[in-house]
Amino acid sequence: MKFDTVVLGGGMVGVSVAVHLQQRGLRVALVDRKAPGNETSLGNAGLIQREGVYPYALPRDPATLLRYARNRSLDVRYHPRALPKALPFLYRYWYHSRADRHAAIARSYATLIEHCVSEHRALVEASGAHALLRPGGWLKVFRSARAQQAELRAAGQWRDEYGVAFESLDAAQLRHDEPSLSHALIGALRYTDAHSVSDPNALVTAYARYFEKLGGRVLTGDATTLQPHWSVETELGRIDAQSAVIALGPWSDVLTARLGYALPLAVKRGYHMHYAARDGARLNQPVLDAEIGYLIAPMARGIRLTTGAEVAYRDAPATPVQLDAIEPIARQTFPLGQRLDQEAWLGRRPCTPDMMPIIGPANRHKDLWFAFGHAHHGLTLGPITGRLLAEMMVGDVPIVDPSPFRAERFSS
C-alpha cells in the first residue's frame, strides 16, 4: 500500500486537493475517520461566495465590541471559560481587522475568491453533480435604510476594486422574487455571481466519487498516527506515501503541533437546524438577515437555518442558545414549520488571525504540505485551494501567487 501522496482530511478542501493531485497523475490516498463531507463540510450555508473578497473581519468599533462583551448578541456568543485562552487570538484578529490591514489582506484573498465559482463548476462538470449547484446568487435582506445603504456602499467598493457583481432590490422587487418573506423587510441586495448548493455533503461526496473514478483511494484511518516520512494507520493497515497533505480543518493544529509547528488556529463554532415550510411557502435562494445575524437557505432536507459564531473550546458540548434565540425571529421572516432534525448540528470553522488560509509547504519537513484555515469559506475555496496546492506540489506554474498563504507568515 504505497502512494505518491496521502491527503489527511475528507472535507471539501481535502477532497478537492485529492482530486487535483489524482488528475495530475499521482496515486493518492484520502484518509479520514469518517466518510467524506461528514464533519465541517456537512453543515454550512451552502454558499460559493464570489463576492467574499473581504474575509470576515472582527468589528473594531467600541459599541459593537461592548455588545459582544455582554454575551447577549444574536450573531456572536462565547463560553466564558474559553475566553482567556481565546483572547490572544482575538487580539491578533482585531489587529488584522483594521481597515488598512483588512484592505491589504483582501488584495491577496481576492486572488483565490476570483476563481471560486469557475473551479467549482469544473469539478461539478467532471463529477456530474450539476443538480446540486444553483446559480443566481444569494440575498442579503434589510430591515432599515441605514443598513441597506451601508451594504450598498461596501458592495460598490467591491465592484470597483474586484469586479463583484450585485443588484439592489426594493421592497416590491423583493416581494416579487421571494413572496414568502416578511413584508417588514424593506429591500435586499443580491450578489449575482455567487452560487449556492442544495446539499453540501452531497457535493463533497460527488467530488470524492469522482476522485475514486480517477483511481484514488478513500480510506478510513486515524490522521493523528501520521509519521515522517510519511505513513499513517488506516483500515487496511499502515500505508506509506512520498508526501502528505494536512487538510483536517479545525483539527489540523492537533497534528501540526505534534510535528513542531506553532500555527495560530482557532475555531468559530456554528449551528444549523432544518425545518419544513408552512402553508406552501417557498424559498428560492439563500437569504441572510444581516441585521439580526442568521441565514436561511433552501436545502434538499428542508429550510436550513444557520447561526452566527460561537467562541468556545473546539470540542466542548453543544450549546445552541443562538439557534434558540433566532428561531422565533426567523419564523417571523419566513413561515418555518416543524423542526426536521432531532438536535441542532454543531460545526467548527478553522480560523487564522489574519483571516487567510494556510496553503503551501511545511518549512520544517520535506514533502509535507498544508491546506487549512479557510474559516467561513471552506466550501467556497475548496476547489481553488486544491488546484493551487496540486500545482505547487507537482511543480506547475500556480494559478495565483501562493506566497501570501504560506505558513511562514506566522513564524516569529
Side-chain angles (χ1 to χ4, degrees):
M1 297 299 293
K2 294 184 181 295
F3 294 86
D4 296 313
T5 300
V6 57
V7 178
L8 304 173
M12 177 57 78
V13 174
V15 169
S16 297
V17 170
V19 166
H20 276 280
L21 288 170
Q22 193 74 29
Q23 284 179 330
R24 285 158 177 79
L26 277 67
R27 188 167 185 239
V28 183
L30 178 69
V31 176
D32 204 340
R33 60 185 179 179
K34 295 183 178 180
N38 278 280
E39 278 290 359
T40 306
S41 295
L42 176 70
N44 52 67
L47 301 180
I48 301 172
Q49 292 188 253
R50 173 61 185 86
E51 86 295 339
V53 290
Y54 277 77
Y56 293 101
L58 183 69
R60 290 176 59 98
D61 63 284
T64 301
L65 293 175
L66 180 59
R67 175 165 59 88
Y68 288 167
R70 291 171 177 159
N71 208 22
R72 297 178 181 177
S73 174
L74 293 175
D75 56 339
V76 176
R77 292 288 179 98
Y78 62 87
H79 288 189
R81 290 184 178 180
L83 203 55
K85 184 177 179 180
L87 281 175
F89 178 92
L90 292 173
Y91 171 75
R92 295 176 71 178
Y93 186 13
W94 174 85
Y95 173 86
H96 287 292
S97 297
R98 198 176 75 181
D100 57 335
R101 298 185 184 114
H102 196 204
I105 288 167
R107 287 192 287 274
S108 297
Y109 198 73
T111 64
L112 294 176
I113 290 290
E114 177 186 357
H115 300 283
C116 66
V117 170
S118 58
E119 291 300 317
H120 261 290
R121 293 191 70 90
L123 290 190
V124 164
E125 183 68 28
S127 64
H130 308 85
L132 299 172
L133 195 64
R134 186 169 45 216
W138 62 278
L139 289 176
K140 184 176 285 191
V141 297
F142 304 102
R143 299 169 180 272
S144 69
R146 178 180 178 183
Q148 186 172 22
Q149 289 304 312
E151 185 68 20
L152 280 171
R153 287 193 297 270
Q157 176 187 344
W158 302 343
R159 176 194 58 204
D160 296 342
E161 292 178 345
Y162 300 111
V164 171
F166 67 92
E167 59 185 12
S168 181
L169 283 64
D170 61 16
Q173 185 63 48
L174 177 59
R175 285 195 285 273
H176 176 270
D177 289 3
E178 294 289 351
S180 298
L181 289 179
S182 168
H183 289 191
L185 302 171
I186 67 166
L189 190 147
R190 178 185 287 118
Y191 288 107
T192 54
D193 285 345
H195 285 26
S196 61
V197 177
S198 61
D199 188 335
N201 170 263
L203 187 64
V204 178
T205 300
Y207 291 173
R209 287 175 179 164
Y210 170 58
F211 165 69
E212 291 181 297
K213 184 177 179 181
L214 291 172
R217 294 293 301 273
V218 176
L219 301 174
T220 302
D222 183 358
T224 64
T225 65
L226 181 70
Q227 295 289 334
H229 209 87
W230 295 101
S231 66
V232 65
E233 287 290 344
T234 74
E235 60 189 311
L236 301 181
R238 184 163 285 275
I239 64 170
D240 298 309
Q242 182 177 336
S243 61
V245 178
I246 298 176
L248 292 166
W251 293 276
S252 295
D253 61 335
V254 175
L255 189 49
T256 57
R258 187 170 299 172
L259 293 169
Y261 297 88
L263 298 173
L265 195 70
V267 297
K268 296 180 189 176
R269 307 199 325 170
Y271 299 85
H272 83 228
M273 173 63 66
H274 291 101
Y275 301 81
R278 287 192 295 106
D279 306 324
R282 180 178 176 84
L283 190 67
N284 298 310
Q285 60 207 302
V287 172
L288 174 65
D289 192 342
E291 292 168 84
I292 304 297
Y294 68 90
L295 184 143
I296 52 175
M299 293 284 179
R301 180 165 170 75
I303 304 299
R304 179 177 290 183
L305 171 61
T306 70
T307 70
E310 179 185 70
V311 178
Y313 290 125
R314 180 188 57 220
D315 299 320
T319 53
V321 293
Q322 286 171 293
L323 182 68
D324 295 336
I326 64 176
E327 182 181 296
I329 301 171
R331 289 185 180 279
Q332 295 173 9
T333 304
F334 181 86
L336 297 174
Q338 73 273 20
R339 289 186 169 192
L340 300 178
D341 304 324
Q342 290 186 347
E343 58 185 17
W345 180 87
L346 165 63
R348 304 152 180 89
R349 309 174 184 101
C351 304
T352 65
D354 67 358
M355 295 162 271
M356 294 197 296
I358 298 172
I359 306 170
N363 61 353
R364 301 175 66 175
H365 292 84
K366 183 176 172 18
D367 298 322
L368 179 64
W369 301 81
F370 298 150
F372 54 83
H374 293 74
H376 297 261
H377 286 158
L379 177 71
T380 293
L381 295 177
I384 179 58
T385 296
R387 176 174 174 177
L388 174 60
L389 190 68
E391 289 170 341
M392 296 170 70
M393 291 178 67
V394 302
D396 289 346
V397 177
I399 184 173
V400 302
D401 178 11
S403 58
F405 313 110
R406 290 180 178 266
E408 290 90 330
R409 72 186 190 268
F410 295 118
S411 300
S412 57

